[in-house]
Amino acid sequence: MTRSHGRGLPGLAGVEHVGFTVPDLEAATRFFTEVIGCELVYTLGPFRSDGTWMADHLNVHPRAVMQRLAFFRCANGPNFEVFQYESPDQHPVPPRNSDVGGHHLAFYVEDLEVAVAHLRAHGVTLLGKPTESTGPSAGQRWLYFLTPWGMQLELVSFPQGKAYEASLDQGGGGGVRLWQPELPDHSQQ
């Protein structure tokens, strides 16, 4: 469904994909398919240019080489476009959340404890212990973790909803509910 408020992108329908760069696409593919449970859809590449195409179109060094890219589907939500680049000016350390351009990807799970145990069983680095949110996000629990190359990811779960949703049910909060993945109805299996 497209929302039109007279502002923003005409025809905006939602987020189609999130793109990020990894140091080793094969290792990242194993992690995202075997540990996280995403599906690899397709790969392509390499791409390079002897001119300025890479700088003009992708804002990377003109001699950067996109070795390969892969598209993943991770249940319900935006697709992932994952790149492996070689570039003369490449920064090999992922940004932290506090860095400009810092980011993380959050995966919604039905049962946080089961998902945390799964990550532990795969030797994934967990950052702290599950945390309970407060304020408008009360009802949510979350935990950050790291990929093998140091990228920040998060598990999040709020099976009973978040506190801000109660104000929506009473006509408050501007009437906008945050997007969240629809979980399969296991009662009909």
Side-chain angles (χ1 to χ4, degrees), residues 14-181:
V15 176
E16 192 275 333
H17 74 266
V18 174
F20 50 92
T21 300
V22 299
D24 181 333
L25 190 57
E26 286 184 30
T29 297
R30 284 191 302 276
F31 180 79
F32 281 113
T33 58
E34 296 172 12
V35 177
I36 301 300
C38 302
E39 296 176 77
L40 173 63
V41 179
Y42 66 87
T43 65
L44 57 136
F47 299 102
R48 63 174 40 100
S49 171
D50 292 331
T52 61
W53 193 94
M54 296 297 278
D56 296 343
H57 292 267
L58 300 174
N59 196 31
V60 297
H61 191 280
R63 297 293 77 80
V65 176
M66 185 189 310
Q67 293 293 335
R68 285 185 47 213
L69 69 87
F71 266 96
F72 295 88
R73 175 75 190 260
C74 300
N76 186 15
N79 304 302
F80 293 164
E81 182 180 24
V82 183
F83 301 91
Q84 180 178 334
Y85 274 96
E86 284 182 18
S87 182
D89 61 349
Q90 189 172 47
H91 299 284
V93 178
R96 296 169 298 169
N97 274 341
S98 58
D99 293 332
V100 173
H103 60 278
H104 68 276
L105 301 171
F107 295 96
Y108 186 91
V109 294
E110 294 173 324
D111 186 321
L112 189 70
E113 297 305 324
V114 169
V116 168
H118 173 82
L119 294 179
R120 275 194 186 106
H122 282 86
V124 173
T125 300
L126 306 177
L127 301 179
K129 295 180 180 180
T131 300
E132 292 188 24
S133 296
T134 60
S137 293
Q140 170 183 278
R141 296 178 66 228
W142 56 270
L143 175 75
Y144 272 68
F145 62 101
L146 299 176
T147 64
W149 60 93
M151 183 177 170
Q152 299 161 137
L153 302 178
E154 178 184 9
L155 295 177
V156 62
S157 189
F158 43 93
Q160 304 305 314
K162 295 183 184 182
Y164 86 93
E165 294 170 341
S167 69
L168 295 177
D169 296 338
Q170 299 167 6
V176 177
R177 187 177 303 270
L178 290 171
W179 180 87
Q180 54 188 274

